[in-house]
């Protein structure tokens, strides 16, 4: 089975028959999120791998996942990933921290394509970046409650982790609000435990949060390093595709991207262009994929 990341464990995870069920290098990369936040991951992937095609599904019908019980997040996540794999992607990118926490192990056992997620790449980077061994993690309620980051940091016992749920950050980003007194006051309240703990590195454990780096940096101070799970995940995508020789031919025609939403495509398209840019053209309803 083509199981996955982290890349340093790739040889161990690939098994003894890497040719079995090998995906096509010309197939798109499948990226999944509960909404538009995962487009920050798609943006980072396209910046590093401009020749790759993207097939993205935002589960806006059921998202955001942050407030949902883990079992419900798992059910919705696997349903969307089933659709992506059935559509012929060569890799799955779980671009949602809540979904990674709820369904990563199931995904790696369930699919015969490599699976990249957002938690371990960010943990590796934060472990390398911290100078005093104190790291903060911010995320949705589901992500923080799951303990996924604490579990991942367990491999680095020298690190002390302080976690804080920031449930309203997603609402602000999706309303297009990334500055102002109300957001600043909220950020000060959310981030106070990290300041008290004296962290020198903060993992942005939600794909919406890169759009809030200004206010987060203002509260935490210039001496604190912010680690974007989106950027670190894109690096893993690059490494895994290179290692498995699945990079799309650079001489192939220009890639075509496909963006789908399980809910109303119009607000997804409008907000998606803010996250990703002009690459988000027409957005299809996920139910219409078979007819597209």
């Amino acid at each position: 089975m083509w199981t996955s990341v982290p890349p340093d464990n790739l040889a161990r995870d690939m098994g003894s028959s890497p040719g079995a069920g090998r995906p096509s290098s010309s197939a798109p990369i499948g990226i999944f999120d509960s909404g538009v936040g995962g487009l920050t991951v798609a943006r980072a992937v396209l910046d590093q791998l401009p020749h790759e095609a993207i097939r993205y599904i935002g589960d806006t019908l059921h998202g955001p996942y942050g407030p949902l019980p883990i079992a419900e997040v798992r059910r919705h996540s696997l349903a969307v990933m089933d659709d992506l794999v059935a559509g012929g992607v060569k890799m799955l990118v779980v671009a949602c921290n809540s979904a990674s926490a709820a369904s990563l192990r199931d995904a790696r056992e369930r699919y015969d394509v490599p699976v990249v997620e957002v938690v371990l790449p960010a943990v590796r980077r934060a472990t390398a970046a911290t100078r005093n061994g104190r790291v903060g993690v911010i995320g949705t309620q589901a992500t923080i409650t799951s303990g996924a980051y604490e579990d991942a940091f367990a491999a680095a016992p020298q690190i002390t982790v302080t976690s804080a749920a920031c449930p309203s950050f997603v609402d602000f980003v999706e309303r297009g609000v990334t500055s102002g007194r109300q957001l600043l006051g909220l950020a000060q309240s959310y981030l106070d435990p990290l300041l008290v703990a004296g962290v020198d590195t903060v993992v942005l454990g939600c794909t919406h949060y890169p759009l809030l780096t200004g206010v987060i940096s203002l509260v935490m101070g210039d001496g604190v390093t912010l680690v974007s799970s989106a950027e670190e995940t894109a690096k893993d995508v690059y490494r895994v595709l290179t290692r498995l020789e699945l990079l799309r031919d650079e001489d192939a025609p220009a890639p075509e991207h496909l963006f789908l939403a399980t809910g109303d495509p119009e607000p997804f398209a409008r907000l998606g262009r803010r996250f990703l840019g002009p690459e988000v053209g027409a957005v299809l309803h996920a139910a219409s994929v078979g007819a597209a």
Side-chain angles (χ1 to χ4, degrees):
M1 177 174 288
W2 289 81
T3 55
S4 51
V5 277
D8 48 353
N9 293 331
L10 187 58
R12 182 196 67 199
D13 292 339
M14 280 171 57
S16 59
S17 302
R22 182 182 179 85
S24 168
S25 62
S26 61
I29 297 170
I31 302 180
F32 153 64
D33 185 59
S34 62
V36 296
L39 291 173
T40 58
V41 176
R43 175 73 274 160
V45 169
L46 290 177
D47 287 345
Q48 295 185 37
L49 294 164
H51 300 288
E52 296 294 336
I54 297 295
R55 179 185 173 96
Y56 182 103
I57 297 183
D59 190 16
T60 52
L61 181 64
H62 304 109
Y65 287 170
L68 301 180
I70 290 293
E72 190 172 347
V73 173
R74 176 184 176 276
R75 184 171 69 252
H76 295 318
S77 299
L78 292 175
V80 176
M81 288 189 281
D82 283 350
D83 184 84
L84 281 169
V85 172
V89 299
K90 66 181 177 183
M91 166 184 278
L92 272 176
V93 180
V94 186
C96 173
N97 285 263
S98 300
S100 291
S103 61
L104 179 61
R105 181 171 298 179
D106 297 283
R108 288 179 172 165
E109 293 176 353
R110 191 179 183 103
Y111 307 119
D112 291 320
V113 296
V115 180
V116 172
E117 49 83 43
V118 290
V119 174
L120 284 177
V123 167
R124 286 198 303 270
R125 177 59 187 152
T127 300
T130 183
R131 303 175 301 281
N132 67 7
R134 294 193 288 271
V135 174
V137 177
I138 57 175
T140 65
Q141 192 66 55
T143 297
I144 299 304
T145 300
S146 74
Y149 277 94
E150 285 84 351
D151 290 345
F153 275 112
Q158 74 277 16
I159 303 295
T160 300
V161 180
T162 302
S163 300
C166 306
S168 294
F169 273 177
V170 169
D171 296 333
F172 275 85
V173 170
E174 297 207 346
R175 287 190 281 115
V177 179
T178 56
S179 63
R181 288 186 178 181
Q182 185 181 9
L183 178 60
L184 178 59
L186 185 68
Q188 289 170 331
S189 174
Y190 282 157
L191 300 174
D192 184 64
L194 278 61
L195 290 167
V196 171
V199 305
D200 72 351
T201 304
V202 175
V203 175
L204 307 181
C206 174
T207 49
H208 284 69
Y209 295 179
L211 277 72
L212 297 176
T213 52
V215 69
I216 294 170
S217 291
L218 181 63
V219 174
M220 295 304 302
D222 292 338
V224 173
T225 300
L226 303 185
V227 175
S228 166
S229 58
E231 290 294 332
E232 299 308 316
T233 299
K235 293 175 187 177
D236 265 14
V237 170
Y238 187 100
R239 285 191 287 259
V240 172
L241 290 180
T242 300
R243 182 77 170 270
L244 297 181
E245 298 182 352
L246 287 175
L247 290 171
R248 190 168 181 266
D249 190 340
E250 294 185 3
D251 295 326
E256 295 183 2
H257 309 304
L258 179 61
F259 297 92
L260 305 108
T262 58
D264 185 352
E266 195 279 327
F268 179 96
R270 184 176 64 250
L271 189 56
R273 292 184 188 103
R274 183 166 178 269
F275 275 73
L276 183 66
E279 288 88 348
V280 178
V283 175
L284 301 180
H285 189 266
S288 67
V289 174

